């Protein structure tokens, strides 16, 4: 089995994203994770017509972050994202934020579900439903 690197997107820390101490504001770390999640979902086809036709949407249920190293204006970071499926109605999309020198700045763990937009309920087997809607699981997850 070949081990692949998780998806990465590069972001430059902007001055207006800083807190009063000159560090990246805590909420912006979550935004960076969201940017990476959406870019990965788009690349894998998770924002395509197949999902709309199946009347399904990804919903964020929980987000947890561990701050490791501060970020400041001008820092350039790579934000990873990788989906992990198990059993049940939820799955995880985890991100790490690395400075370009490889320093880990933050770890983000997100719990998501797949919502049936008509019933307004989470569906069983989100992995299977995502795949049937045409999303490329090999792009979405390094464990596929």
């Amino acid at each position: 089995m070949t081990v692949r690197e998780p998806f990465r997107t590069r972001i430059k820390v902007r001055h207006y994203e800083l807190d009063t101490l000159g560090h990246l504001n805590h909420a912006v770390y979550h935004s960076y994770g969201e940017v990476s999640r959406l870019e990965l979902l788009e690349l894998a086809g998770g924002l395509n017509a197949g999902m709309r036709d199946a009347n399904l949407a990804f919903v964020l249920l929980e987000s947890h972050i561990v701050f490791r190293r501060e970020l400041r204006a001008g820092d350039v970071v790579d934000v990873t994202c990788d989906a992990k499926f198990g059993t049940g109605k939820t799955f995880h999309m985890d991100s790490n934020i690395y400075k370009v020198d490889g320093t880990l700045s933050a770890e983000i763990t997100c719990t998501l579900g797949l919502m049936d937009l008509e019933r307004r309920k989470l569906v069983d087997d989100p992995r299977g439903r995502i795949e049937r809607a045409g999303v490329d699981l090999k792009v979405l997850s390094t464990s596929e």
Side-chain angles (χ1 to χ4, degrees):
M1 179 178 186
T2 304
V3 177
R4 294 183 296 121
E5 287 289 317
F7 171 82
R8 291 176 180 258
T9 190
R10 186 158 281 182
I11 300 173
K12 182 177 179 181
V13 176
R14 295 163 295 248
H15 288 85
Y16 64 83
E17 297 173 324
L18 305 181
D19 63 18
T20 57
L21 298 175
H23 306 132
L24 186 66
N25 180 280
H26 67 281
V28 181
Y29 285 87
H30 288 286
S31 293
Y32 286 4
E34 181 74 6
V35 167
S36 189
R37 271 192 310 283
L38 287 173
E39 297 245 348
L40 176 57
L41 286 171
E42 182 178 33
L43 182 66
L47 306 178
N48 66 13
M51 291 290 288
R52 285 189 300 278
D53 292 347
N55 215 20
L56 297 171
F58 296 94
V59 292
L60 181 64
L61 302 170
E62 180 179 313
S63 183
H64 175 78
I65 190 164
V66 177
F67 301 100
R68 299 291 182 192
R69 295 286 183 269
E70 66 188 14
L71 293 172
R72 296 185 175 274
D75 284 342
V76 177
V77 297
D78 287 323
V79 186
T80 67
C81 191
D82 190 35
K84 294 178 176 70
F85 295 95
T87 59
K89 294 183 179 185
T90 63
F91 59 98
H92 292 100
M93 291 187 81
D94 299 334
S95 295
N96 289 326
I97 300 176
Y98 296 97
K99 291 182 181 182
V100 290
D101 68 5
T103 302
L104 178 62
S105 294
E107 299 167 288
I108 305 170
T109 302
C110 294
T111 304
L112 290 91
L114 195 61
M115 182 179 281
D116 178 318
L117 295 175
E118 193 172 298
R119 294 179 42 239
R120 309 303 291 178
K121 301 280 185 189
L122 295 181
V123 301
D124 291 321
D125 185 26
R127 182 192 176 284
R129 298 286 295 269
I130 290 167
E131 187 173 37
R132 286 191 295 280
V135 178
D136 188 343
L137 291 175
K138 287 184 173 82
V139 171
L140 197 62
S141 176
T142 59
S143 60
E144 292 301 320

